[in-house]
Amino acid sequence: MSNVTSCEWTVTGMDCASCAGKVRGAVERLPGVTQVDVALMAERLRLTLDEAQTPRDGVVAAVQRLGFGIAPKGQAAPRTGFVMPDGAFPAPATGADDPATDGAQTGPATATSTVRPDPSWYQTAKGRLVIGTGLLLVVAWAVKLLAAPQIALGAFVIATLIGIAPIARRAVNAARAFMPFTIEMLMTIAATGALFIGAAEEAALVVFLFAVGEVLEGVAANKARGGIRALAQLVPKTALLKVAGRTREVPAESLMIGQTVLVRPGDRVPADGEVIEGVSGVDESPVTGESVPNLKEPGQAVFAGSINTEAALRVRVTKAAEDNTIARIVRLVEEAESARAPTERFIDRFSRVYMPAVVGAALLVAIVPPLAFAQPWDTWVYRALALLLIGCPCALVISVPASIASALSAGARHGILMKGGAVIEAAARTTHVAFDKTGTLTIGSPRITDIVPMTGTQQDVLALGAGIEAGASHPLAQAILTRAAADGITPLAATAARALPGKGAEAMVGDALAWIGSPRFAADSGVLNAKARSTATALEEAGKTVVAVFRADCLVGLVALRDEPRPEASDAVRQLRALGITAVMLTGDNGRTAAAISQTLGIDHRADLMPEDKVTAIRALAAQGRVMMVGDGINDAPALASAHVGVAMGSGTDVALETADAAMLRNRVTDVAGTIRLARATMANIHQNVTIALGLKGVFLITTVLGMTGLWLAILADTGATVLVTLNALRLLTFDPDKER
């Protein structure tokens, strides 16, 4: 019997990408551990574990040794940080951040349960380290002013040793996990070395500044996670359940499919559901970002987290709490973090070389000038120690995931979902956008405009057409069935109905086959005479879609339908053109109808395309640049898969959320341009972050070797760059994809 299982934990205390790298490195080396995935912003550790080789407790212990909090998925992990020396700085009475509680299970938590807020910075272990080292530094400076230099030196040494102790402990634990090149190790070496060369005062200051930088990193990282947490908190904690005519309050997470809830004016909808009684405007902006309330009537869907604005609604629950729209959005945003951008993968590989290279350079700086040029040892050892502090690539490594996480959160708040950094990078490079027509550039609900009988009456045409299409879900079929029902016409009884891809449909009506399909299909079947062809051509030139209803020996009639363009479609094409992007419409409709629609929108088109023809068209566009395909997520699946980026339209549907690379929850075509704007802004932000990280490192590397800057400025170059990069990435949280720039 196999003991291999998939395991998932919540890991707290990870403030930068190097923290996630330490967790990954520590567990990857455990026997029986494979497929390790550490998500920094989602605070998630997921792996495949052979428990016969390593028990789950072994994974927990490995993470705890590094000083991080860990608990199984669904349980609250302690908000921990540095592992402090026993009794060095007593924790607050609440024990909220006491590392001794690492791994403690505080009971189950669910998607809708109350999320324990992060403790204030001064309540965390890192905050206590800042306060403690700061006080020790102040005391040491006071001793320097009031006592002899020798006593002051001792005070600074004590301040340094107490402050560096928790850092050294983490460095040793990381080294035991075969990760010697960590910022904690570099800090330990630099501070200890500074003590040996008599720079105790500066060593104590460096330890304090390092602690301050770590706290700032933690605050910035938690702020970046706040966007995702805010999404999860949109769903109310309680719901008003209707049972046997009575209403009682229950936890929203306990609602089951089929139950009925009451949503009063001003209440948030507690679950995805369907309105069964009442008419009211519902503000869906928390879910889709759409600011105008949508009128909801019986039979229409509502999303969990949306706000009822006018009158009471009774809603039938259609999805459990763990599968509602908000939960799926949060899950997709968190999962997207694992889809790393190519730039991020390159920087990760670069950083693995960068730190050892800087350590090697520091070693050469320490020994070459004294040995080769008889320079003073203490001067060059000091410069080498300062150089060590520049060797941590934290700012460089965090530059990409921090921007990606902020962009994903900003997009989700505006109804734009992109599944990871790879999608964002590909979207930013888009040069061509290909649109499906029906349901994408058009509303997707065609209406019959003309019925032209060739034999018999209009009623005969509708009765036969509705009989063939009975049970079909295609928009054209639904339009025919709706018109027949509105006119009170009973569809003819039909059997053996089947779809003919790219042509139409057929069924056995009475004792003979009958068909409904394109005029070309009717012509190929030999029933389209010159008069009918002329009529069909005139209707198509008016921008209508024409279908023929016929039997084996005669054309019963023609039906013309029109699917109006979306109101914002032409503006979407204009916005794409302003971004320098070429747009094209791909449709299976006839050339005349496609030309009429494309002329209205100002877009190029390819018509009469079978599904395989759309794939060929996408590949031809891909030869000219980077292609984004926008469709409904079902009929256009092959084309979506063939494009560099596949975008599914649809207001929160399963298909829109689970298929393609991105989804437009607001079902607005203009969001395609918004997606590209957001992706480009994200890549620009990443380039800025990389420039900040490498630029500061480069400047301080040169000034340190030249003796212009020392230890405390070197540590500012490291932690300061990390904080600057993170804060710059957080600017994306306020980015508005709808705003043209």
Side-chain angles (χ1 to χ4, degrees):
M1 183 175 178
S2 175
N3 290 316
V4 177
T5 57
S6 294
C7 306
E8 185 172 331
W9 290 268
T10 298
V11 178
T12 57
M14 297 188 297
D15 298 332
C16 65
S18 66
C19 295
K22 292 168 195 170
V23 174
R24 183 184 298 109
V27 299
E28 276 180 339
R29 291 174 172 82
L30 297 175
V33 173
T34 57
Q35 299 178 351
V36 178
D37 174 33
V38 181
L40 171 64
M41 293 301 166
E43 299 184 306
R44 182 187 68 237
L45 166 61
R46 182 183 296 158
L47 51 81
T48 300
L49 179 64
D50 183 353
E51 296 190 62
Q53 298 185 57
T54 298
R56 297 188 184 215
D57 289 346
V59 176
V60 171
V63 174
Q64 288 178 337
R65 280 195 297 270
L66 295 175
F68 299 106
I70 181 171
K73 178 185 178 182
Q75 298 181 6
R79 296 282 162 185
T80 187
F82 282 108
V83 178
M84 305 296 293
D86 293 338
F89 304 114
T94 60
D97 191 51
D98 188 350
T101 64
D102 283 5
Q105 298 178 4
T106 59
T110 65
T112 57
S113 61
T114 301
V115 177
R116 183 174 64 180
D118 291 330
S120 301
W121 70 269
Y122 54 82
Q123 294 177 308
T124 65
K126 292 183 179 181
R128 297 198 300 274
L129 181 65
V130 168
I131 295 171
T133 53
L135 290 174
L136 289 170
L137 195 58
V138 170
V139 170
W141 275 327
V143 171
K144 181 180 179 181
L145 291 174
L146 302 174
Q150 293 80 6
I151 299 176
L153 178 63
F156 284 117
V157 170
I158 293 172
T160 302
L161 292 177
I162 293 178
I164 202 66
I167 302 172
R169 182 180 296 183
R170 292 188 74 180
V172 171
N173 288 332
R176 287 176 178 172
F178 302 99
M179 292 179 289
F181 296 108
T182 62
I183 183 58
E184 289 82 11
M185 181 62 75
L186 300 184
M187 266 296 305
T188 301
I189 295 173
T192 306
L195 293 179
F196 277 103
I197 62 174
E201 181 176 356
E202 196 163 4
L205 178 60
V206 164
V207 171
F208 171 71
L209 291 175
F210 177 78
V212 171
E214 289 288 301
V215 167
L216 292 176
E217 287 179 14
V219 171
N222 285 331
K223 190 172 180 63
R225 294 184 181 112
I228 298 175
R229 291 176 183 167
L231 286 174
Q233 293 303 298
L234 289 175
V235 180
K237 303 298 180 290
T238 60
L240 296 176
L241 180 65
K242 300 282 289 185
V243 180
R246 301 181 62 184
T247 303
R248 61 189 176 92
E249 189 172 79
V250 300
E253 63 194 33
S254 68
L255 293 175
M256 294 185 293
I257 296 174
Q259 291 183 322
T260 300
V261 295
L262 173 66
V263 185
R264 300 167 302 188
D267 286 353
R268 287 186 182 271
V269 179
D272 280 12
E274 178 183 318
V275 176
I276 58 176
E277 184 179 312
V279 177
S280 179
V282 175
D283 178 6
E284 297 178 338
S285 60
V287 183
T288 67
E290 183 61 68
S291 58
V292 180
N294 289 324
L295 186 67
K296 297 296 181 178
E297 301 175 319
Q300 293 188 305
V302 290
F303 304 136
S306 55
I307 304 169
N308 184 16
T309 61
E310 298 171 2
L313 295 174
R314 288 179 64 195
V315 176
R316 181 187 297 112
V317 177
T318 57
K319 291 215 174 85
E322 65 272 10
D323 196 39
N324 65 41
T325 301
I326 291 291
R328 285 183 289 134
I329 291 173
V330 171
R331 189 160 58 245
L332 285 170
V333 172
E334 290 181 342
E335 294 293 336
E337 191 181 344
S338 299
R340 304 169 71 195
T343 301
E344 183 179 357
R345 290 195 293 268
F346 169 76
I347 288 177
D348 189 47
R349 292 193 301 269
F350 173 76
S351 66
R352 295 177 187 176
V353 178
Y354 171 79
M355 185 180 285
V358 172
V359 171
L363 183 61
L364 292 176
V365 167
I367 63 175
V368 170
L371 292 178
F373 305 103
Q375 296 291 312
W377 279 96
D378 56 348
T379 298
W380 289 96
V381 168
Y382 176 86
R383 294 180 183 179
L385 294 175
L387 192 60
L388 278 179
L389 300 180
I390 303 173
C392 179
C394 290
L396 184 61
V397 175
I398 197 66
S399 59
V400 178
S403 298
I404 296 296
S406 295
L408 293 173
S409 181
R413 287 204 307 274
H414 289 84
I416 297 172
L417 290 185
M418 290 183 282
K419 297 184 179 179
V423 175
I424 290 176
E425 188 162 336
R429 299 167 59 194
T430 296
T431 59
H432 296 73
V433 173
F435 290 99
D436 173 48
K437 180 178 78 71
T438 305
T440 303
L441 288 175
T442 62
I443 296 173
S445 300
R447 294 179 295 105
I448 291 178
T449 58
D450 302 270
I451 302 174
V452 183
M454 294 297 173
T455 59
T457 64
Q458 289 189 357
Q459 289 79 5
D460 295 333
V461 177
L462 271 180
L464 180 57
I468 299 170
E469 296 284 23
S473 59
H474 191 277
L476 297 181
Q478 290 296 307
I480 292 171
L481 292 168
T482 299
R483 177 63 180 270
D487 290 357
I489 296 172
T490 302
L492 296 178
T495 59
R498 69 187 184 99
L500 304 174
K503 297 179 180 179
E506 71 172 16
M508 185 69 70
V509 181
D511 57 356
L513 283 172
W515 295 268
I516 185 169
S518 65
R520 184 175 59 182
F521 179 36
D524 293 341
S525 301
V527 298
L528 196 70
N529 56 35
K531 178 183 177 182
R533 184 179 290 108
S534 175
T535 302
T537 299
L539 291 170
E540 289 175 348
E541 287 177 345
K544 301 173 182 178
T545 299
V546 179
V547 294
V549 181
F550 59 97
R551 292 184 180 271
D553 56 351
C554 69
L555 176 66
V556 178
L558 300 175
V559 178
L561 308 95
R562 193 199 314 266
D563 184 11
E564 298 296 338
R566 291 179 181 272
E568 77 279 7
S570 59
D571 188 46
V573 174
R574 179 195 62 77
Q575 290 186 31
L576 289 172
R577 191 179 298 115
L579 291 170
I581 293 172
T582 301
V584 62
M585 180 178 72
L586 306 179
T587 179
D589 212 338
N590 67 83
R592 295 184 185 89
T593 300
I597 296 291
S598 65
Q599 185 175 5
T600 301
L601 301 179
I603 188 176
D604 194 9
H605 72 277
R606 310 279 189 277
D608 295 308
L609 299 180
M610 301 288 281
E612 59 270 23
D613 297 328
K614 288 187 179 182
V615 173
T616 302
I618 291 293
R619 289 174 178 168
L621 290 172
Q624 306 172 32
R626 308 289 294 186
V627 182
M628 175 183 288
M629 172 67 192
V630 186
D632 62 12
I634 304 176
N635 300 329
D636 300 298
L640 289 169
S642 299
H644 294 103
V645 180
V647 178
M649 301 287 291
S651 299
T653 63
D654 288 336
V655 170
L657 289 174
E658 307 298 343
T659 64
D661 302 307
M664 309 288 100
L665 301 187
R666 295 187 292 192
N667 216 26
R668 295 195 328 195
V669 192
T670 48
D671 282 345
V672 175
T675 299
I676 294 172
R677 279 192 287 267
L678 177 59
R680 290 183 176 179
T682 304
M683 295 310 299
N685 190 276
I686 288 172
H687 295 153
Q688 293 165 7
N689 283 347
V690 171
T691 301
I692 291 171
L694 290 180
L696 281 176
K697 297 284 187 183
V699 168
F700 280 94
L701 189 148
I702 294 172
T703 56
T704 297
V705 172
L706 296 177
M708 299 168 63
T709 54
L711 286 173
W712 69 276
L713 279 176
I715 196 61
L716 283 181
D718 173 63
T719 57
T722 303
V723 172
L724 284 176
V725 162
T726 307
L727 292 177
N728 186 49
L730 291 177
R731 292 191 305 111
L732 287 172
L733 290 173
T734 62
F735 186 86
D736 185 359
D738 298 332
K739 185 177 179 180
E740 296 185 55
R741 290 164 174 79

